[in-house]
Amino acid sequence: MVRAAYIHIPFCEHICHYCDFNKVFLKNQPVDQYINSLLLEIDRMMQLRSNSALKTIYIGGGTPTALTAEQLDVLLKGIKSIIDIGKLDEYTIEVNPDSIEEDKLLVLKTHGINRLSMGVQTFDEGLLKEIGRTHSARSIKDAVKRSREAGFTNISLDLMFGLPGQSPSDFKKSLLEAIQLDVDHISAYSLKVEEKTVFYNRQRKGKLTLPPEEDEIKMYEILRDDLKQAGFKQYEISNFAKPGFESKHNLVYWNNEEYFGFGAGSHGYVDGVRYQNHGPIPKYLKAIEEGAKPVLQEHVVSEIERIEEAMFMGLRKREGVNRKQFEKLYNRSLEEAFSEQIDMLVKRGLLCSTKDSIYLTEEGLLLSNEVFEQFIAVLSE
């Protein structure tokens, strides 16, 4: 049974230099038509899946709060008319510090949003400009303050490290600023230069200077050490929470569970099929208008793929992969599936194996991608 849904809002008032998500400039876009089509897609799917009892919804982007308060009201009121939000354990929306005014916060609160994920990235004014963000350090603090005053008790901040010209001490300062805001959850990701981004073009021209690998490792160590001291528990490679504030929606992904994906360019995983919706808004709108599924491509996930995904997604969690749960789901033990890989990684000091689970060691955290690669394309059908 599918218990989670991701809803995509592809509009941005400004495109950041590192972002490769499906998004478009807000100006002159058919925003109202998109909202109506999105609600139609959700309604059609939920009618087909009337037995689905959603527990988490995550509205991401793009920039959901690039919508006006009136547009947010239409969207959230529409969702409420289709889905019983009273049964949700977690209802998250991504917000930008410079586009989350009091009227929008009131709309979010009125319609049951109970978790805000705030895209901060850094508190360094120079770095904010370098990466193409439009907010300031001051606006971050104001946004958190306004959100608390509006009654939000679950606020997460997103940070980045390994940014152009960023030093470990620069990152430590930003992290301290985030901790001092007394938020409930912090996610921090290293910069990945993706194709079709401003940074990618700069890198190709030799105009992008990134920190050396040893500095990036130091930043990650600072992240883990400082957040632990501040009372945050690391529950996933890049995610830290105060007790009880772990992201329930993101755990769906890491537990390799199924979820709906709604909106242009969104991804979903339902009935053993991974799918991606049309990204270009006109194609998405046309499909909805014609009463068709707005799906660009589908992939039936084989049993072998499910097992391999369970490993490299599950090992992202600090608790790792539970032996009993794995065997219950896949009718084989971890050793029956991956004895050679587990033995090799344990000997290298990258995995720890106990009677209950396997999980990344401290060194394994730093070399996680190398660990994950060991579980891909190794099983036979």
Side-chain angles (χ1 to χ4, degrees), residues 80 85 88 91 107-115 152:
K80 188 188 291 186
I85 65 169
L88 296 177
Y91 194 0
V107 170
L108 303 184
K109 190 68 177 173
T110 298
H111 291 299
I113 298 288
N114 58 22
R115 184 175 184 269
F152 288 95

Side-chain angles (χ1 to χ4, degrees), residues 33 42 51-52 61-62 68 74 125 140 164 171 185 192 198 208 210 223 233 256 265 270 286 291 293 326 362 377:
Q33 183 184 357
I42 297 170
N51 66 332
S52 294
T68 66
V74 171
E125 300 289 356
I140 298 168
F171 177 69
H185 185 283
K192 299 266 188 309
V198 172
L208 186 69
L210 299 177
L223 173 72
K233 178 184 177 182
N256 204 33
V270 177
K286 186 173 186 292
K293 288 169 58 177
F326 183 92
E362 299 293 305

Side-chain angles (χ1 to χ4, degrees), residues 255-290:
N255 288 329
N256 204 33
E257 298 169 3
E258 297 191 343
Y259 57 94
F260 296 116
F262 298 119
S266 66
H267 294 254
Y269 182 27
V270 177
D271 293 336
V273 178
R274 292 197 182 275
Y275 64 90
Q276 178 185 357
N277 278 356
H278 287 291
I281 291 174
K283 287 190 175 182
Y284 172 81
L285 296 178
K286 186 173 186 292
I288 298 294
E289 183 182 350
E290 295 175 348

Side-chain angles (χ1 to χ4, degrees), residues 319-335:
E319 66 181 25
V321 178
N322 182 277
R323 291 181 175 279
K324 288 183 179 178
Q325 289 177 358
F326 183 92
E327 188 164 356
K328 181 179 179 181
L329 286 170
Y330 306 112
N331 297 313
R332 66 183 80 184
S333 70
L334 282 169
E335 270 69 26

Side-chain angles (χ1 to χ4, degrees), residues 20 73 77 114 116 175 197 202 239 257 276 307 317 359:
D20 72 330
D73 184 61
K77 188 179 293 182
N114 58 22
L116 303 181
L175 184 59
T197 64
R202 287 185 185 175
N239 286 269
E257 298 169 3
Q276 178 185 357
I307 293 171
K317 300 178 296 178
Y359 56 89

